Amino acid sequence: SECLLALVSELPPEIEKALARDVLNGPLFKCAVAGNDPNVGRLIARLGQALSRLRRTRPDLLRPDLLRDAVVSIGDDVIFRDGDFQLDPDKDARIRQHFLDAQLGPSDIGLPGKSAGLRYPPHGRCVEIRVDLLPPDAAPRPEPTVVLGSDLTHQYVTENADYRS
């Protein structure tokens, strides 16, 4: 699956882009997407790690209450707001379906003899994530920085672990 992260903040555009990439490149989050596992803690943990790294290198850029003000959504569902998860079983099921709808093919794609004849990509959907780091009263809201990433499947790891140059 591909992932699209839209990030809105007060940060300079190049910092926003780096932060979004850092979040999308989290191995545990990539595995959650590949497994259609709406373990949203992996996404929020990666966001916290990325912000912590940014705070160490550029403390002047981050407000102390930044994570408390964060609003994070997957698809149409808010999963984190006011410093807390916003989850319930119905939302969990919708997010899992959102992951499934974005899946590019069966789990055996990429294994020898399994992807022959596959129309790629089979659709234009992706896991859509929105991270809003602006204060709640900020207006107007700027256009988000958008970054595209991908999941991390077993097949990808196997193929690249066995690859020899």
Side-chain angles (χ1 to χ4, degrees):
S1 299
E2 292 183 325
C3 302
L4 182 143
L5 190 144
L7 176 68
V8 177
S9 74
E10 301 164 313
L11 299 170
E14 68 277 1
I15 301 290
E16 269 189 353
K17 188 178 282 189
L19 182 63
R21 278 193 186 127
D22 192 358
V23 171
L24 282 181
N25 284 328
L28 288 176
F29 176 67
K30 285 176 167 268
C31 290
V33 172
N36 300 311
D37 175 11
N39 183 341
V40 299
R42 292 179 177 185
L43 172 61
I44 301 305
R46 186 61 183 199
L47 176 61
Q49 291 168 347
L51 289 169
S52 177
R53 280 189 287 277
L54 181 57
R55 187 175 303 282
R56 283 194 304 271
T57 58
R58 294 292 306 273
D60 57 304
L61 292 178
L62 300 180
R63 294 178 286 110
D65 53 357
L66 185 72
L67 200 52
R68 189 194 68 224
D69 289 342
V71 178
V72 181
S73 303
I74 296 178
D76 294 328
D77 288 297
V78 172
I79 61 161
F80 190 84
R81 176 184 305 202
D82 299 324
D84 203 1
F85 288 98
Q86 309 291 310
L87 300 170
D88 61 59
D90 291 336
K91 190 178 288 189
D92 189 69
R94 286 192 305 272
I95 294 169
R96 178 171 165 66
Q97 188 61 51
H98 182 73
F99 281 25
L100 285 167
D101 290 344
Q103 191 171 343
L104 291 173
S107 62
D108 61 0
I109 297 276
L111 295 176
K114 298 293 185 176
S115 55
L118 176 71
R119 195 179 111 249
Y120 185 84
H123 56 73
R125 296 181 299 273
C126 61
V127 173
E128 297 171 359
I129 303 158
R130 181 171 176 91
V131 177
D132 187 332
L133 298 177
L134 288 173
D137 58 351
R141 301 201 100 61
E143 286 296 312
T145 295
V146 177
V147 173
L148 189 63
S150 64
D151 62 11
L152 186 59
T153 62
H154 183 271
Q155 302 88 274
Y156 179 87
V157 173
T158 300
E159 181 178 322
N160 284 284
D162 293 340
Y163 176 78
R164 303 287 184 257
S165 55

